Amino acid sequence: QVQLVESGGGSEQAGGSLRLSCAASGATFSSNCMGWFRQAPGKAREAVAVIYTGAGSTRYADSVKGRFTISQDNAKNTVFLQMNSLIPEDTAMYFCAADPYGGSWCMLASEQYIYWGQGTQVTVSS
């Protein structure tokens, strides 16, 4: 069983920055697919960014490319999402997710991910 705990959400003005953290426990962290997803009220959950912790390879949704960066700290079993140049459309609940069994091909698709955190709210005002 894998436990994921997100932190770092909050309120920010457009143009500002926030950094989300996802602390993982209960499984080997060094070769997982880890991802950040978000869901706004009335909308479907969408992928934001994913990382393969075995090599640090990353993929991003087009809507956040150039603004968000996903990274990892294997020593702390933690994945981060640095969010810069925030816009009101980034307002959503952000979830961390993990797939310890899928190998190195990490998809921008929630169906791949087995374990999920409880989420952290990000609100961006104009």
Side-chain angles (χ1 to χ4, degrees), residues 24-54:
S25 61
T28 301
F29 183 80
S30 61
S31 58
N32 294 343
C33 285
M34 300 286 295
W36 286 98
F37 296 78
R38 66 187 182 186
Q39 188 167 17
K43 295 188 176 181
R45 186 170 295 186
E46 64 175 355
V48 176
V50 298
I51 186 168
Y52 175 58
T53 59

Side-chain angles (χ1 to χ4, degrees), residues 12 33 38 68 121:
E12 184 59 74
C33 285
R38 66 187 182 186
F68 291 10
Q121 178 68 36

Side-chain angles (χ1 to χ4, degrees), residues 2-126:
V2 175
Q3 293 82 42
L4 303 172
V5 179
E6 303 100 332
S7 61
S11 297
E12 184 59 74
Q13 290 189 333
S17 298
L18 286 171
R19 189 192 197 203
L20 306 183
S21 299
C22 173
S25 61
T28 301
F29 183 80
S30 61
S31 58
N32 294 343
C33 285
M34 300 286 295
W36 286 98
F37 296 78
R38 66 187 182 186
Q39 188 167 17
K43 295 188 176 181
R45 186 170 295 186
E46 64 175 355
V48 176
V50 298
I51 186 168
Y52 175 58
T53 59
S57 50
T58 60
R59 302 178 72 185
Y60 295 90
D62 288 344
S63 59
V64 305
K65 280 181 181 177
R67 300 190 299 121
F68 291 10
T69 302
I70 188 170
S71 62
Q72 63 189 88
D73 183 337
N74 283 1
K76 296 181 179 180
N77 284 5
T78 301
V79 171
F80 305 97
L81 185 68
Q82 178 67 42
M83 305 185 294
N84 298 328
S85 301
L86 286 163
I87 59 177
E89 290 75 13
D90 294 322
T91 295
M93 185 71 78
Y94 283 71
F95 298 91
C96 178
D99 172 20
Y101 314 116
S104 61
W105 184 248
C106 303
M107 296 188 294
L108 288 165
S110 60
E111 293 78 12
Q112 176 180 357
Y113 297 82
I114 299 170
Y115 300 103
W116 292 82
Q118 293 299 307
T120 185
Q121 178 68 36
V122 170
T123 302
V124 183
S125 58
S126 58

